[in-house]
Amino acid sequence: MATVTDSKTHAQINELTEEAKIRSEPFQRLLDEVGRVIVGQKQLMHRMLIGLLGNGHLLIEGVPGLAKTTAVATLAKGISTGFQRLQFTPDLLPADLLGTLIYQPQDQKFVIQKGPIFSNLILADEINRAPAKVQSALLEAMQERQVTIGSETFLLDEPFLVMATQNPVEQEGTYPLPEAQMDRFMLKVVVDYPSRSEELEILSRMSKTKSSMEICAVTSPAEIAQARELVDEIYVDGKVQEYVVDLVMATRNPSEYGLPINELIQYGGSPRATINLTLAGKANAFLHGRGYVTPQDIKDIALDVLRHRVVISYEAEAEDKTSDDIVRAIIEHIPVP
């Protein structure tokens, strides 16, 4: 099978590894700083950094009260950059998000009033409580990194990252996100209840009328931009590239890979899934201080990249199968190089 490889010598890979060890230190400090406020949720924190480094957006799902909003807000405080929290509600309008044209009678002309989307880190809180027209207003901003108001188009500042939280769609008053928008999110992270020991730690820290936990900014947009340049250079071997492609292709035609679950899948992952899985693997390698991607980097992150891109069929729902079940079966079945 022909492969496309970014060929690098062992010396170049070793050099990348040494640089990754140095450049990843501020992000380890960021994790430590955020960990002073957030108990547990280490996987969520790790995935947020992968989104930040891979220039991809995050969808965080969990029942209310699991510190999803606090985690994103705390991460933003740890970075010296702009932050906006948007509370999505059923009566929200696209103009409330993007901005609008305001008429000034004294000048007899319209001027542009920019919306809160013009920031760096955007927390879209409870995104699935807003109707589809507002969710769709995010599409251009998330994919094109630009916003159109009236006849003018404005580029958004870098870094630009949307971290959206949502409650499970079975909950009352929620609107499922359209598939087109789900695909714009690099990762979908499912947040679960804390363990018993974590719950005790939460009780010890948070059972006060006023929180005394403050965190310091430990990194900047310039460091993020430099880290992203290095992430782009991380080496991905041809066999790892083939492994990524096989994982995504197996979500479309599982029978070709010996998995008899075609009838359980309505749609599989798009080419964006292949790109995001590779980028997430590179970011994961960077955070571990490596200049190359291993198959385990891909395997570790594959569920979060693919779970929201696999649309299950009615047959799967009848059998009580979820997209997580199907993706896990694919990850376990596809041989690791």
Side-chain angles (χ1 to χ4, degrees):
M1 184 185 294
T3 60
V4 179
T5 59
D6 174 18
S7 57
K8 283 185 171 66
T9 65
H10 285 294
Q12 287 174 316
I13 294 171
N14 289 338
E15 191 179 319
L16 281 171
T17 296
E18 289 305 311
E19 195 174 352
K21 286 177 182 174
I22 296 166
R23 291 280 179 87
S24 62
E25 281 180 11
F27 298 94
Q28 298 302 331
R29 290 202 306 272
L30 181 58
L31 281 177
D32 294 340
E33 193 71 17
V34 173
R36 292 176 51 236
V37 176
I38 305 297
V39 178
Q41 306 295 13
K42 289 185 177 169
Q43 179 169 311
L44 171 59
M45 295 300 161
H46 180 258
R47 299 306 192 256
M48 287 198 297
L49 287 191
I50 284 181
L52 193 64
L53 292 165
N55 200 18
H57 309 291
L58 237 71
L59 182 62
I60 306 165
E61 183 180 286
V63 297
L66 296 184
K68 302 184 298 295
T69 303
T70 307
V72 179
T74 306
L75 179 75
K77 288 178 184 174
I79 303 168
S80 180
T81 189
F83 171 65
Q84 283 284 353
R85 178 183 182 275
L86 309 175
Q87 182 64 53
F88 279 55
T89 57
D91 60 347
L92 198 70
L93 298 173
D96 298 330
L97 185 67
L98 307 179
T100 189
L101 292 167
I102 304 288
Y103 182 68
Q104 290 190 327
Q106 64 273 28
D107 299 325
Q108 294 189 343
K109 65 178 183 180
F110 286 92
V111 295
I112 289 170
Q113 178 72 47
K114 290 183 178 180
I117 196 77
F118 288 90
S119 189
N120 298 107
L121 289 185
I122 305 294
L123 169 57
D125 210 7
E126 297 187 308
I127 188 173
N128 59 339
R129 292 209 177 274
K133 62 183 178 181
V134 178
Q135 295 171 2
S136 298
L138 271 178
L139 283 177
E140 183 186 18
M142 289 172 65
Q143 185 61 30
E144 308 297 334
R145 264 50 177 202
Q146 65 183 33
V147 166
T148 302
I149 304 171
S151 59
E152 289 193 56
T153 299
F154 302 90
L155 292 176
L156 295 166
D157 293 336
E158 287 290 343
F160 175 73
L161 184 66
V162 175
M163 295 189 184
T165 69
Q166 72 169 12
N167 299 322
V169 292
E170 294 80 12
Q171 293 220 331
E172 188 176 348
T174 57
Y175 302 79
L177 290 175
E179 283 81 4
Q181 184 159 345
M182 291 286 276
D183 199 35
R184 258 73 175 180
F185 287 100
M186 174 186 259
L187 305 168
K188 179 183 176 185
V189 186
V190 176
V191 181
D192 207 350
Y193 288 109
S195 65
R196 187 175 186 277
S197 59
E198 289 170 348
E199 191 92 17
L200 283 167
E201 178 65 21
I202 291 168
L203 178 62
S204 172
R205 282 196 201 179
M206 302 298 179
S207 56
K208 301 168 185 172
T209 56
K210 186 178 179 181
S211 173
S212 59
M213 290 287 183
E214 290 294 332
I215 72 167
C216 303
V218 295
T219 188
S220 65
E223 280 187 315
I224 293 168
Q226 289 173 352
R228 283 179 177 178
E229 287 177 8
L230 183 57
V231 167
D232 286 340
E233 294 298 316
I234 300 281
Y235 175 67
V236 186
D237 188 76
K239 291 188 182 301
V240 177
Q241 291 181 356
E242 289 183 22
Y243 179 53
V244 169
V245 170
D246 284 341
L247 283 172
V248 177
M249 293 290 286
T251 67
R252 304 173 196 166
N253 298 298
S255 58
E256 290 184 9
Y257 292 85
L259 275 166
I261 56 173
N262 272 50
E263 72 282 354
L264 302 181
I265 299 174
Q266 191 173 355
Y267 301 110
S270 71
R272 194 181 278 124
T274 311
I275 296 166
N276 284 345
L277 187 49
T278 306
L279 275 173
K282 285 182 172 186
N284 197 33
F286 171 85
L287 287 172
H288 285 91
R290 274 186 279 105
Y292 57 92
V293 177
T294 67
Q296 193 61 45
D297 286 320
I298 303 298
K299 194 172 182 179
D300 287 347
I301 205 76
L303 180 60
D304 295 310
V305 174
L306 296 174
R307 61 159 47 105
H308 56 298
R309 293 183 161 98
V310 173
V311 180
I312 60 174
S313 64
Y314 291 116
E315 288 88 341
E317 290 181 12
E319 293 181 24
D320 277 339
K321 297 283 186 186
T322 65
S323 62
D324 278 30
D325 296 329
I326 291 167
V327 173
R328 283 194 186 99
I330 290 170
I331 293 169
E332 290 304 315
H333 183 79
I334 300 297
V336 177

